[in-house]
Amino acid sequence: MRNAGDKRLAALFERPTLEVAPALLGLHLVRTGPAGQPSRTGRIVEVEAYLGPADQASHARFGETPRSRPMYGRAGTAYVYLVYGMYRCLNVVTGPLGTPHAILVRAVEPLTGIEQIRHARLTAERRVHRSWSIQDGARASARIGEIPAERLARGPGLVGAAFDVELSMTGSDLLDPGAALRLEAAPPDEPAGRIEASPRVGIAFAGRPWTEQPWRFSLAGNPSVSG
DNA sequence: CTACCGATCCCCT
DNA sequence: GGGGATCGGTAGA
């Protein structure tokens, strides 16, 4: 049985993708586990909409493949992919069944579980730099310890690292209140903030008009929005 | 099968 | 401003 907040959340996803994207701003991303560890939560502050398969910046531009299959599923499904062989990026699927729309979560403002997030960031870096010496690891640990909380998930790759987004989570239901990775409605007392729209980042390969569409949405002035 | 490149991030120059 | 880390997907031989 869904409570009132869950119902509002589910209703949100029945709207067109370009309306859902700005509406995701302010929602909470929640990560629980491993068992016994405090959960991590953060406020979504930056997203990008991908309106495949026509959208030449979308992974759905190649049609339905094993990787893109979750995008064709129900709205609220997670689409997780690997970029540059190391960073996992989280998308929220939107649109009706069979319509491969998705919204990339580009930045999150950490709210709780900050130490868990720092630990996850360090683990992610260690995985990339397998050949690190003891000193390298110590340096990275110190550096991450100095990063202000609002910058710990400022960028899509960092969101994946900070919240331990796993490839195995692709296709999972982000609206399931029991899921290890999920979305939750923001508390009603949390201020929304002004929303800005701008062109999407890192998609020069797509060419016009896709590079110019203002399909990136962010909370104006929020320090966790990526540059 | 190989070649190329990506919805990235960090460090060095 | 440039390059390294690292690997799955796609395209072309």
PDB file of all heavy atoms in Angstrom, chain B:
ATOM      1  P    DC B   1      37.301 -14.022 -31.132  1.00  0.00           P
ATOM      2  OP1  DC B   1      38.180 -15.138 -30.989  1.00  0.00           O
ATOM      3  OP2  DC B   1      36.407 -13.574 -30.096  1.00  0.00           O
ATOM      4  O5'  DC B   1      38.058 -12.779 -31.791  1.00  0.00           O
ATOM      5  C5'  DC B   1      38.882 -13.064 -32.929  1.00  0.00           C
ATOM      6  C4'  DC B   1      39.115 -11.816 -33.747  1.00  0.00           C
ATOM      7  O4'  DC B   1      37.875 -11.407 -34.367  1.00  0.00           O
ATOM      8  C3'  DC B   1      39.559 -10.615 -32.920  1.00  0.00           C
ATOM      9  O3'  DC B   1      40.978 -10.545 -32.940  1.00  0.00           O
ATOM     10  C2'  DC B   1      38.948  -9.417 -33.660  1.00  0.00           C
ATOM     11  C1'  DC B   1      37.907 -10.007 -34.594  1.00  0.00           C
ATOM     12  N1   DC B   1      36.528  -9.473 -34.344  1.00  0.00           N
ATOM     13  C2   DC B   1      36.039  -8.390 -35.093  1.00  0.00           C
ATOM     14  O2   DC B   1      36.789  -7.890 -35.934  1.00  0.00           O
ATOM     15  N3   DC B   1      34.789  -7.924 -34.863  1.00  0.00           N
ATOM     16  C4   DC B   1      34.028  -8.502 -33.936  1.00  0.00           C
ATOM     17  N4   DC B   1      32.797  -8.010 -33.750  1.00  0.00           N
ATOM     18  C5   DC B   1      34.493  -9.603 -33.159  1.00  0.00           C
ATOM     19  C6   DC B   1      35.743 -10.051 -33.388  1.00  0.00           C
ATOM     20  P    DT B   2      41.822  -9.501 -32.002  1.00  0.00           P
ATOM     21  OP1  DT B   2      43.250  -9.874 -32.031  1.00  0.00           O
ATOM     22  OP2  DT B   2      41.092  -9.421 -30.713  1.00  0.00           O
ATOM     23  O5'  DT B   2      41.629  -8.110 -32.749  1.00  0.00           O
ATOM     24  C5'  DT B   2      41.978  -7.994 -34.126  1.00  0.00           C
ATOM     25  C4'  DT B   2      41.625  -6.598 -34.611  1.00  0.00           C
ATOM     26  O4'  DT B   2      40.176  -6.434 -34.643  1.00  0.00           O
ATOM     27  C3'  DT B   2      42.167  -5.473 -33.712  1.00  0.00           C
ATOM     28  O3'  DT B   2      42.743  -4.483 -34.537  1.00  0.00           O
ATOM     29  C2'  DT B   2      40.926  -4.984 -32.970  1.00  0.00           C
ATOM     30  C1'  DT B   2      39.814  -5.237 -33.972  1.00  0.00           C
ATOM     31  N1   DT B   2      38.458  -5.452 -33.386  1.00  0.00           N
ATOM     32  C2   DT B   2      37.386  -4.728 -33.880  1.00  0.00           C
ATOM     33  O2   DT B   2      37.495  -3.904 -34.767  1.00  0.00           O
ATOM     34  N3   DT B   2      36.184  -5.010 -33.299  1.00  0.00           N
ATOM     35  C4   DT B   2      35.934  -5.926 -32.284  1.00  0.00           C
ATOM     36  O4   DT B   2      34.805  -6.101 -31.850  1.00  0.00           O
ATOM     37  C5   DT B   2      37.096  -6.638 -31.808  1.00  0.00           C
ATOM     38  C7   DT B   2      36.952  -7.638 -30.702  1.00  0.00           C
ATOM     39  C6   DT B   2      38.295  -6.374 -32.374  1.00  0.00           C
ATOM     40  P    DA B   3      43.465  -3.186 -33.919  1.00  0.00           P
ATOM     41  OP1  DA B   3      44.587  -2.806 -34.800  1.00  0.00           O
ATOM     42  OP2  DA B   3      43.688  -3.415 -32.477  1.00  0.00           O
ATOM     43  O5'  DA B   3      42.307  -2.117 -34.084  1.00  0.00           O
ATOM     44  C5'  DA B   3      41.742  -1.890 -35.369  1.00  0.00           C
ATOM     45  C4'  DA B   3      40.849  -0.672 -35.311  1.00  0.00           C
ATOM     46  O4'  DA B   3      39.568  -1.048 -34.718  1.00  0.00           O
ATOM     47  C3'  DA B   3      41.410   0.457 -34.454  1.00  0.00           C
ATOM     48  O3'  DA B   3      41.167   1.690 -35.113  1.00  0.00           O
ATOM     49  C2'  DA B   3      40.649   0.318 -33.145  1.00  0.00           C
ATOM     50  C1'  DA B   3      39.298  -0.230 -33.598  1.00  0.00           C
ATOM     51  N9   DA B   3      38.610  -1.076 -32.622  1.00  0.00           N
ATOM     52  C8   DA B   3      39.160  -1.974 -31.754  1.00  0.00           C
ATOM     53  N7   DA B   3      38.293  -2.608 -31.000  1.00  0.00           N
ATOM     54  C5   DA B   3      37.071  -2.087 -31.404  1.00  0.00           C
ATOM     55  C6   DA B   3      35.745  -2.338 -30.993  1.00  0.00           C
ATOM     56  N6   DA B   3      35.428  -3.233 -30.044  1.00  0.00           N
ATOM     57  N1   DA B   3      34.759  -1.641 -31.588  1.00  0.00           N
ATOM     58  C2   DA B   3      35.081  -0.753 -32.543  1.00  0.00           C
ATOM     59  N3   DA B   3      36.286  -0.438 -33.016  1.00  0.00           N
ATOM     60  C4   DA B   3      37.245  -1.143 -32.399  1.00  0.00           C
ATOM     61  P    DC B   4      41.765   3.083 -34.527  1.00  0.00           P
ATOM     62  OP1  DC B   4      42.226   3.895 -35.673  1.00  0.00           O
ATOM     63  OP2  DC B   4      42.667   2.790 -33.387  1.00  0.00           O
ATOM     64  O5'  DC B   4      40.441   3.756 -33.964  1.00  0.00           O
ATOM     65  C5'  DC B   4      39.248   3.758 -34.762  1.00  0.00           C
ATOM     66  C4'  DC B   4      38.072   4.130 -33.899  1.00  0.00           C
ATOM     67  O4'  DC B   4      37.689   3.002 -33.080  1.00  0.00           O
ATOM     68  C3'  DC B   4      38.358   5.285 -32.929  1.00  0.00           C
ATOM     69  O3'  DC B   4      37.429   6.306 -33.186  1.00  0.00           O
ATOM     70  C2'  DC B   4      38.166   4.671 -31.537  1.00  0.00           C
ATOM     71  C1'  DC B   4      37.255   3.496 -31.833  1.00  0.00           C
ATOM     72  N1   DC B   4      37.323   2.387 -30.846  1.00  0.00           N
ATOM     73  C2   DC B   4      36.123   1.821 -30.393  1.00  0.00           C
ATOM     74  O2   DC B   4      35.054   2.260 -30.825  1.00  0.00           O
ATOM     75  N3   DC B   4      36.168   0.802 -29.499  1.00  0.00           N
ATOM     76  C4   DC B   4      37.345   0.349 -29.062  1.00  0.00           C
ATOM     77  N4   DC B   4      37.330  -0.654 -28.185  1.00  0.00           N
ATOM     78  C5   DC B   4      38.581   0.914 -29.513  1.00  0.00           C
ATOM     79  C6   DC B   4      38.515   1.920 -30.399  1.00  0.00           C
ATOM     80  P    DC B   5      37.715   7.800 -32.558  1.00  0.00           P
ATOM     81  OP1  DC B   5      37.347   8.798 -33.575  1.00  0.00           O
ATOM     82  OP2  DC B   5      39.026   7.843 -31.879  1.00  0.00           O
ATOM     83  O5'  DC B   5      36.588   7.807 -31.438  1.00  0.00           O
ATOM     84  C5'  DC B   5      35.252   7.430 -31.781  1.00  0.00           C
ATOM     85  C4'  DC B   5      34.468   7.304 -30.500  1.00  0.00           C
ATOM     86  O4'  DC B   5      34.737   6.034 -29.875  1.00  0.00           O
ATOM     87  C3'  DC B   5      34.829   8.376 -29.468  1.00  0.00           C
ATOM     88  O3'  DC B   5      33.645   8.827 -28.864  1.00  0.00           O
ATOM     89  C2'  DC B   5      35.683   7.614 -28.475  1.00  0.00           C
ATOM     90  C1'  DC B   5      34.971   6.263 -28.498  1.00  0.00           C
ATOM     91  N1   DC B   5      35.747   5.155 -27.916  1.00  0.00           N
ATOM     92  C2   DC B   5      35.057   4.134 -27.256  1.00  0.00           C
ATOM     93  O2   DC B   5      33.824   4.180 -27.210  1.00  0.00           O
ATOM     94  N3   DC B   5      35.757   3.132 -26.693  1.00  0.00           N
ATOM     95  C4   DC B   5      37.085   3.122 -26.769  1.00  0.00           C
ATOM     96  N4   DC B   5      37.734   2.110 -26.194  1.00  0.00           N
ATOM     97  C5   DC B   5      37.817   4.160 -27.432  1.00  0.00           C
ATOM     98  C6   DC B   5      37.110   5.148 -27.983  1.00  0.00           C
ATOM     99  P    DG B   6      33.528  10.355 -28.302  1.00  0.00           P
ATOM    100  OP1  DG B   6      32.983  11.247 -29.351  1.00  0.00           O
ATOM    101  OP2  DG B   6      34.736  10.740 -27.573  1.00  0.00           O
ATOM    102  O5'  DG B   6      32.345  10.113 -27.266  1.00  0.00           O
ATOM    103  C5'  DG B   6      31.218   9.364 -27.700  1.00  0.00           C
ATOM    104  C4'  DG B   6      30.719   8.515 -26.556  1.00  0.00           C
ATOM    105  O4'  DG B   6      31.700   7.516 -26.214  1.00  0.00           O
ATOM    106  C3'  DG B   6      30.462   9.287 -25.261  1.00  0.00           C
ATOM    107  O3'  DG B   6      29.413   8.632 -24.572  1.00  0.00           O
ATOM    108  C2'  DG B   6      31.763   9.090 -24.499  1.00  0.00           C
ATOM    109  C1'  DG B   6      32.063   7.650 -24.847  1.00  0.00           C
ATOM    110  N9   DG B   6      33.470   7.284 -24.718  1.00  0.00           N
ATOM    111  C8   DG B   6      34.554   7.994 -25.166  1.00  0.00           C
ATOM    112  N7   DG B   6      35.700   7.396 -24.917  1.00  0.00           N
ATOM    113  C5   DG B   6      35.340   6.238 -24.260  1.00  0.00           C
ATOM    114  C6   DG B   6      36.145   5.203 -23.742  1.00  0.00           C
ATOM    115  O6   DG B   6      37.376   5.090 -23.759  1.00  0.00           O
ATOM    116  N1   DG B   6      35.378   4.194 -23.148  1.00  0.00           N
ATOM    117  C2   DG B   6      34.008   4.207 -23.069  1.00  0.00           C
ATOM    118  N2   DG B   6      33.446   3.158 -22.464  1.00  0.00           N
ATOM    119  N3   DG B   6      33.242   5.166 -23.548  1.00  0.00           N
ATOM    120  C4   DG B   6      33.975   6.152 -24.134  1.00  0.00           C
ATOM    121  P    DA B   7      27.996   9.205 -24.543  1.00  0.00           P
ATOM    122  OP1  DA B   7      27.116   8.087 -24.236  1.00  0.00           O
ATOM    123  OP2  DA B   7      27.812  10.005 -25.784  1.00  0.00           O
ATOM    124  O5'  DA B   7      27.925  10.134 -23.254  1.00  0.00           O
ATOM    125  C5'  DA B   7      28.316  11.497 -23.284  1.00  0.00           C
ATOM    126  C4'  DA B   7      27.801  12.212 -22.052  1.00  0.00           C
ATOM    127  O4'  DA B   7      26.344  12.189 -22.106  1.00  0.00           O
ATOM    128  C3'  DA B   7      28.164  11.568 -20.722  1.00  0.00           C
ATOM    129  O3'  DA B   7      28.196  12.560 -19.704  1.00  0.00           O
ATOM    130  C2'  DA B   7      27.007  10.591 -20.489  1.00  0.00           C
ATOM    131  C1'  DA B   7      25.833  11.415 -21.022  1.00  0.00           C
ATOM    132  N9   DA B   7      24.760  10.585 -21.559  1.00  0.00           N
ATOM    133  C8   DA B   7      24.667  10.062 -22.819  1.00  0.00           C
ATOM    134  N7   DA B   7      23.584   9.364 -23.011  1.00  0.00           N
ATOM    135  C5   DA B   7      22.907   9.440 -21.805  1.00  0.00           C
ATOM    136  C6   DA B   7      21.689   8.899 -21.354  1.00  0.00           C
ATOM    137  N6   DA B   7      20.903   8.159 -22.109  1.00  0.00           N
ATOM    138  N1   DA B   7      21.315   9.154 -20.086  1.00  0.00           N
ATOM    139  C2   DA B   7      22.123   9.899 -19.326  1.00  0.00           C
ATOM    140  N3   DA B   7      23.289  10.457 -19.630  1.00  0.00           N
ATOM    141  C4   DA B   7      23.630  10.194 -20.893  1.00  0.00           C
ATOM    142  P    DT B   8      29.702  13.212 -19.377  1.00  0.00           P
ATOM    143  OP1  DT B   8      29.478  14.230 -18.383  1.00  0.00           O
ATOM    144  OP2  DT B   8      30.346  13.504 -20.661  1.00  0.00           O
ATOM    145  O5'  DT B   8      30.516  12.050 -18.674  1.00  0.00           O
ATOM    146  C5'  DT B   8      30.111  11.466 -17.435  1.00  0.00           C
ATOM    147  C4'  DT B   8      31.271  11.385 -16.477  1.00  0.00           C
ATOM    148  O4'  DT B   8      32.458  10.946 -17.172  1.00  0.00           O
ATOM    149  C3'  DT B   8      31.641  12.714 -15.823  1.00  0.00           C
ATOM    150  O3'  DT B   8      31.427  12.579 -14.440  1.00  0.00           O
ATOM    151  C2'  DT B   8      33.109  12.940 -16.168  1.00  0.00           C
ATOM    152  C1'  DT B   8      33.586  11.566 -16.575  1.00  0.00           C
ATOM    153  N1   DT B   8      34.677  11.551 -17.570  1.00  0.00           N
ATOM    154  C2   DT B   8      35.839  10.894 -17.240  1.00  0.00           C
ATOM    155  O2   DT B   8      36.014  10.350 -16.172  1.00  0.00           O
ATOM    156  N3   DT B   8      36.798  10.899 -18.209  1.00  0.00           N
ATOM    157  C4   DT B   8      36.719  11.479 -19.453  1.00  0.00           C
ATOM    158  O4   DT B   8      37.648  11.427 -20.241  1.00  0.00           O
ATOM    159  C5   DT B   8      35.478  12.160 -19.743  1.00  0.00           C
ATOM    160  C7   DT B   8      35.277  12.820 -21.078  1.00  0.00           C
ATOM    161  C6   DT B   8      34.532  12.161 -18.804  1.00  0.00           C
ATOM    162  P    DC B   9      31.588  13.825 -13.447  1.00  0.00           P
ATOM    163  OP1  DC B   9      30.696  13.574 -12.299  1.00  0.00           O
ATOM    164  OP2  DC B   9      31.451  15.047 -14.245  1.00  0.00           O
ATOM    165  O5'  DC B   9      33.075  13.730 -12.921  1.00  0.00           O
ATOM    166  C5'  DC B   9      33.465  12.569 -12.202  1.00  0.00           C
ATOM    167  C4'  DC B   9      34.968  12.563 -12.033  1.00  0.00           C
ATOM    168  O4'  DC B   9      35.601  12.418 -13.307  1.00  0.00           O
ATOM    169  C3'  DC B   9      35.544  13.820 -11.401  1.00  0.00           C
ATOM    170  O3'  DC B   9      36.132  13.453 -10.173  1.00  0.00           O
ATOM    171  C2'  DC B   9      36.550  14.337 -12.426  1.00  0.00           C
ATOM    172  C1'  DC B   9      36.837  13.088 -13.260  1.00  0.00           C
ATOM    173  N1   DC B   9      37.259  13.359 -14.651  1.00  0.00           N
ATOM    174  C2   DC B   9      38.412  12.740 -15.151  1.00  0.00           C
ATOM    175  O2   DC B   9      39.050  11.987 -14.427  1.00  0.00           O
ATOM    176  N3   DC B   9      38.785  12.980 -16.427  1.00  0.00           N
ATOM    177  C4   DC B   9      38.062  13.797 -17.190  1.00  0.00           C
ATOM    178  N4   DC B   9      38.466  14.001 -18.446  1.00  0.00           N
ATOM    179  C5   DC B   9      36.882  14.443 -16.707  1.00  0.00           C
ATOM    180  C6   DC B   9      36.519  14.196 -15.439  1.00  0.00           C
ATOM    181  P    DC B  10      36.716  14.571  -9.157  1.00  0.00           P
ATOM    182  OP1  DC B  10      36.320  14.175  -7.803  1.00  0.00           O
ATOM    183  OP2  DC B  10      36.367  15.900  -9.681  1.00  0.00           O
ATOM    184  O5'  DC B  10      38.285  14.387  -9.309  1.00  0.00           O
ATOM    185  C5'  DC B  10      38.853  13.086  -9.225  1.00  0.00           C
ATOM    186  C4'  DC B  10      40.297  13.156  -9.673  1.00  0.00           C
ATOM    187  O4'  DC B  10      40.343  13.249 -11.118  1.00  0.00           O
ATOM    188  C3'  DC B  10      41.013  14.384  -9.125  1.00  0.00           C
ATOM    189  O3'  DC B  10      42.173  14.007  -8.419  1.00  0.00           O
ATOM    190  C2'  DC B  10      41.311  15.228 -10.353  1.00  0.00           C
ATOM    191  C1'  DC B  10      41.314  14.204 -11.480  1.00  0.00           C
ATOM    192  N1   DC B  10      40.934  14.808 -12.779  1.00  0.00           N
ATOM    193  C2   DC B  10      41.677  14.509 -13.921  1.00  0.00           C
ATOM    194  O2   DC B  10      42.619  13.710 -13.817  1.00  0.00           O
ATOM    195  N3   DC B  10      41.352  15.084 -15.102  1.00  0.00           N
ATOM    196  C4   DC B  10      40.327  15.934 -15.157  1.00  0.00           C
ATOM    197  N4   DC B  10      40.045  16.481 -16.329  1.00  0.00           N
ATOM    198  C5   DC B  10      39.549  16.260 -14.009  1.00  0.00           C
ATOM    199  C6   DC B  10      39.886  15.678 -12.848  1.00  0.00           C
ATOM    200  P    DC B  11      43.066  15.112  -7.643  1.00  0.00           P
ATOM    201  OP1  DC B  11      43.296  14.569  -6.296  1.00  0.00           O
ATOM    202  OP2  DC B  11      42.484  16.455  -7.822  1.00  0.00           O
ATOM    203  O5'  DC B  11      44.429  15.061  -8.474  1.00  0.00           O
ATOM    204  C5'  DC B  11      44.972  13.810  -8.883  1.00  0.00           C
ATOM    205  C4'  DC B  11      46.059  14.066  -9.902  1.00  0.00           C
ATOM    206  O4'  DC B  11      45.455  14.429 -11.166  1.00  0.00           O
ATOM    207  C3'  DC B  11      46.975  15.221  -9.500  1.00  0.00           C
ATOM    208  O3'  DC B  11      48.324  14.854  -9.669  1.00  0.00           O
ATOM    209  C2'  DC B  11      46.564  16.350 -10.436  1.00  0.00           C
ATOM    210  C1'  DC B  11      46.075  15.596 -11.661  1.00  0.00           C
ATOM    211  N1   DC B  11      45.077  16.373 -12.445  1.00  0.00           N
ATOM    212  C2   DC B  11      45.209  16.474 -13.830  1.00  0.00           C
ATOM    213  O2   DC B  11      46.142  15.883 -14.381  1.00  0.00           O
ATOM    214  N3   DC B  11      44.312  17.197 -14.532  1.00  0.00           N
ATOM    215  C4   DC B  11      43.307  17.809 -13.899  1.00  0.00           C
ATOM    216  N4   DC B  11      42.446  18.517 -14.626  1.00  0.00           N
ATOM    217  C5   DC B  11      43.148  17.728 -12.485  1.00  0.00           C
ATOM    218  C6   DC B  11      44.049  17.009 -11.801  1.00  0.00           C
ATOM    219  P    DC B  12      49.521  15.841  -9.145  1.00  0.00           P
ATOM    220  OP1  DC B  12      50.440  14.966  -8.393  1.00  0.00           O
ATOM    221  OP2  DC B  12      48.971  17.055  -8.501  1.00  0.00           O
ATOM    222  O5'  DC B  12      50.203  16.287 -10.513  1.00  0.00           O
ATOM    223  C5'  DC B  12      50.535  15.311 -11.500  1.00  0.00           C
ATOM    224  C4'  DC B  12      50.795  16.021 -12.820  1.00  0.00           C
ATOM    225  O4'  DC B  12      49.543  16.510 -13.338  1.00  0.00           O
ATOM    226  C3'  DC B  12      51.702  17.245 -12.654  1.00  0.00           C
ATOM    227  O3'  DC B  12      52.880  17.101 -13.432  1.00  0.00           O
ATOM    228  C2'  DC B  12      50.874  18.419 -13.130  1.00  0.00           C
ATOM    229  C1'  DC B  12      49.767  17.767 -13.937  1.00  0.00           C
ATOM    230  N1   DC B  12      48.511  18.548 -13.862  1.00  0.00           N
ATOM    231  C2   DC B  12      47.959  19.086 -15.037  1.00  0.00           C
ATOM    232  O2   DC B  12      48.523  18.864 -16.112  1.00  0.00           O
ATOM    233  N3   DC B  12      46.824  19.813 -14.954  1.00  0.00           N
ATOM    234  C4   DC B  12      46.246  20.022 -13.772  1.00  0.00           C
ATOM    235  N4   DC B  12      45.125  20.743 -13.745  1.00  0.00           N
ATOM    236  C5   DC B  12      46.792  19.497 -12.563  1.00  0.00           C
ATOM    237  C6   DC B  12      47.919  18.778 -12.652  1.00  0.00           C
ATOM    238  P    DT B  13      54.082  18.278 -13.290  1.00  0.00           P
ATOM    239  OP1  DT B  13      55.367  17.549 -13.367  1.00  0.00           O
ATOM    240  OP2  DT B  13      53.808  19.170 -12.139  1.00  0.00           O
ATOM    241  O5'  DT B  13      53.863  19.125 -14.620  1.00  0.00           O
ATOM    242  C5'  DT B  13      53.557  18.469 -15.859  1.00  0.00           C
ATOM    243  C4'  DT B  13      53.213  19.499 -16.938  1.00  0.00           C
ATOM    244  O4'  DT B  13      51.846  19.968 -16.749  1.00  0.00           O
ATOM    245  C3'  DT B  13      54.092  20.751 -16.917  1.00  0.00           C
ATOM    246  O3'  DT B  13      54.502  21.049 -18.237  1.00  0.00           O
ATOM    247  C2'  DT B  13      53.190  21.859 -16.383  1.00  0.00           C
ATOM    248  C1'  DT B  13      51.815  21.383 -16.814  1.00  0.00           C
ATOM    249  N1   DT B  13      50.720  21.862 -15.928  1.00  0.00           N
ATOM    250  C2   DT B  13      49.608  22.461 -16.495  1.00  0.00           C
ATOM    251  O2   DT B  13      49.483  22.620 -17.683  1.00  0.00           O
ATOM    252  N3   DT B  13      48.654  22.857 -15.597  1.00  0.00           N
ATOM    253  C4   DT B  13      48.694  22.720 -14.221  1.00  0.00           C
ATOM    254  O4   DT B  13      47.769  23.118 -13.527  1.00  0.00           O
ATOM    255  C5   DT B  13      49.868  22.088 -13.700  1.00  0.00           C
ATOM    256  C7   DT B  13      50.011  21.894 -12.230  1.00  0.00           C
ATOM    257  C6   DT B  13      50.824  21.688 -14.569  1.00  0.00           C
TER     258       DT B  13
END
